[in-house]
Amino acid sequence: MTELLYGIFGGTFDPIHKGHLNTVSSVRKQCNLERVHFIPASIPPHRDIPGATAQQRLEMVTIAIAGYPGFDVDDRELRRDTPSYTFDTVKSLQEDNPGRNYCFILGVDAFVGLEKWYRWRDLLDQVHFIIMQRPGWQAPSPLPIWWSERRMSDCDKLRDKACGGIVEIEVEPNPVSATEIRYGVANNVDISPMVTDAVRNYICSNNLYQNE
Ligand code: ATP
């Protein structure tokens, strides 16, 4: 059985940066994903209040991915007025697109906190997970049983099942973070190496992150 795979990439994207774009492009290529949906989070359950508004984060994602075929932005979490749990977001995507096999893409820094997520065990049975390396973070050793039991050697193995697999993917290390960018803007650091030109211009013209 050879199933098509679709990616979901959630984040605060405050702002979206090259660490997101380069790593997810590499994942899309290596795993041959049909599309990747970028889903900005509205009220992130696990982190502080973001610096840009939801609308501004959405606009930055939209302009950043404009040149990437196969990437799109999905604003379903921003349209809700309650906290956006990944479990609910994925369920809603699956209801809109029955029969599609989804892979939730995230950095290892986020995945190591999975056990704190709402209905995380159900989520493991709802999608596949693709874990990207992130400088400064490592998978725990030994791995928890639920992780090692579901671990697969490569993305092609994910095509044999509708959900429930975990694959770790090597991507070129990209040490940028949104925190560093927000801090950099407030301190007059040149952020051009970290964001696309369009996002840098957007940050400038909207005076974002001046007081981080
Ligand atoms: P912040 O610094 O504000 O916490 P961030 O840079 O981690 O933000 P998020 O929008 O919170 O960005 O991240 C969304 C997803 O992207 C997460 O799964 C995170 O692990 C992943 N990610 C972010 N930056 C990188 C990077 N440089 N390399 C690999 N994965 C990344």
Side-chain angles (χ1 to χ4, degrees):
M1 181 166 57
T2 305
E3 296 290 349
L4 301 181
L5 295 175
Y6 291 81
I8 302 172
F9 186 50
T12 313
F13 304 129
D14 190 19
I16 186 166
H17 53 68
K18 290 184 183 172
H20 300 127
L21 295 166
N22 295 344
T23 51
V24 175
S25 293
S26 170
V27 167
R28 176 164 185 251
K29 209 178 285 174
Q30 291 186 58
C31 296
N32 204 7
L33 303 179
E34 289 304 298
R35 302 199 66 74
V36 178
H37 309 303
F38 282 59
I39 308 190
S42 59
I43 309 163
H46 312 300
R47 51 163 286 169
D48 298 337
I49 305 288
T53 65
Q55 184 61 29
Q56 288 170 328
R57 292 184 293 110
L58 175 66
E59 285 170 7
M60 287 190 280
V61 173
T62 305
I63 58 178
I65 65 172
Y68 289 81
F71 285 179
D72 55 59
V73 61
D74 184 307
D75 68 351
R76 73 185 59 225
E77 291 202 357
L78 304 182
R79 283 188 266 117
R80 294 171 59 106
D81 44 15
T82 50
S84 302
Y85 292 112
T86 301
F87 177 82
D88 295 328
T89 302
V90 170
K91 195 160 150 242
S92 144
L93 255 180
Q94 287 172 328
E95 281 166 4
D96 286 354
N97 303 284
R100 278 194 181 170
N101 291 356
Y102 284 106
C103 303
F104 197 89
I105 306 165
L106 76 182
V108 66
D109 59 304
F111 193 66
V112 294
L114 183 78
E115 291 179 16
K116 294 195 202 103
W117 293 23
Y118 172 69
R119 297 187 65 173
W120 67 277
R121 284 193 179 273
D122 292 331
L123 186 60
L124 282 171
D125 292 329
Q126 198 184 21
V127 283
H128 295 304
F129 277 90
I130 298 178
I131 320 299
M132 310 183 291
Q133 294 161 329
R134 188 165 186 186
W137 293 85
Q138 284 200 330
S141 176
L143 289 178
I145 291 169
W146 58 262
W147 186 333
S148 51
E149 279 176 351
R150 290 159 186 275
R151 200 171 187 204
M152 294 178 170
S153 54
D154 60 69
C155 288
D156 275 341
K157 301 275 189 312
L158 299 179
R159 296 176 193 279
D160 298 336
K161 295 175 67 181
C163 52
I166 299 175
V167 167
E168 291 137 55
I169 291 285
E170 291 208 12
V171 291
E172 195 176 321
N174 214 310
V176 57
S177 74
T179 304
E180 185 187 354
I181 294 164
R182 295 193 301 271
Y183 184 81
V185 172
N187 291 282
N188 292 317
V189 173
D190 177 18
I191 58 163
S192 332
M194 300 184 260
V195 293
T196 65
D197 289 348
V199 170
R200 193 199 55 217
N201 292 338
Y202 186 97
I203 290 171
C204 283
S205 50
N206 289 278
N207 294 317
L208 295 182
Y209 312 128
Q210 299 296 324
N211 303 312
E212 287 286 322

